[in-house]
């Protein structure tokens, strides 16, 4: 990616841009109002988000979520120190919570779902839908936030946080849900942390 600023596909009037730290420092699109939404720095990999606002004729605030793959690295002991036993079992040992028991299964407030392990934004609430499966379901993740890896038996596709590798769940395609992507990201609630759109720390 280097220092190039990338333009993410728009939704309605929203525009979202991604830049790494050095590029953002040089980027001064006057008279656009530049607002840093989130800054995450891990080792030499750092990515920033910004929303561009130009009033009625310009852009509305956009949500940014992009992290360098593998940018959050901890030892097993370090993860055990910062995660609860159940978080460690699911995020680091690829466990699964019982269906219908998760905090976010029937939760539909507006905001952003972040990785419970490292805080990387993963999903917008607008992509969440009721699949009836017993786990939170999303039809797409934020750009660059989620990695996909076939399970060893080849039967399912695992989804993990791109930044820390934390296990989220699995993604299923072609199930016929009336969503734009015809995909279902089946995610453990305990792998997520929700930030309300009305929160001062929201993205």
């Amino acid at each position: 990616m280097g220092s190039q600023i990338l333009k993410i596909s728009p939704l309605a009037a929203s525009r979202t841009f991604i830049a790494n730290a050095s590029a953002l420092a040089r980027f001064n699109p006057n008279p656009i109002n530049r607002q840093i939404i989130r800054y995450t720095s891990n080792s030499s990999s750092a990515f920033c988000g910004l929303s561009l606002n130009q009033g009625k004729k310009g852009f509305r605030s956009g949500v940014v979520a992009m992290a360098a793959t593998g940018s959050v690295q901890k030892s097993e002991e370090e993860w055990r120190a910062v995660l609860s036993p159940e978080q460690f079992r699911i995020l680091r040992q690829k466990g699964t919570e019982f269906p219908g028991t998760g905090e976010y299964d029937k939760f539909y407030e507006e905001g952003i779902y972040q990785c419970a392990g490292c805080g990387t934004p993963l999903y917008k609430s607008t992509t969440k839908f009721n699949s009836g499966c017993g786990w939170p379901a999303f039809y797409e993740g934020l750009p660059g936030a989620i990695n996909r890896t076939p399970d060893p038996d080849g039967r399912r596709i695992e989804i993990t946080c791109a930044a820390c590798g934390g296990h989220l769940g699995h993604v299923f395609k072609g199930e016929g849900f009336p969503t734009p992507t015809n995909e279902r990201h089946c995610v453990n609630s305990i792998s997520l942390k929700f930030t309300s759109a009305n929160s001062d720390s929201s993205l």
Side-chain angles (χ1 to χ4, degrees), residues 65 111-114 120-127 138-142 145-146 159 168 185-187 192:
I112 295 293
Y113 292 86
Q114 300 168 300
T120 295
L122 301 173
Y123 298 99
K124 292 191 291 186
S125 60
T126 52
T127 66
F138 304 84
Y139 63 76
E140 69 179 355
L142 287 163
I146 296 167
I159 47 178
L168 304 175
H185 290 226
C186 185
V187 184
L192 303 171

Side-chain angles (χ1 to χ4, degrees), residues 21-65:
S22 59
L24 185 60
R26 297 194 299 269
F27 185 58
N28 184 24
N30 192 36
I32 298 175
N33 175 38
R34 183 181 71 188
Q35 177 188 0
I36 297 177
I37 301 175
R38 180 177 179 86
Y39 177 79
T40 303
S41 178
N42 295 285
S43 184
S44 60
S45 299
F47 284 82
C48 299
L50 59 92
S51 66
L52 306 180
N53 304 285
Q54 286 184 304
K56 295 182 179 179
K57 296 183 180 180
F59 304 131
R60 297 184 305 173
S61 295
V63 176
V64 169

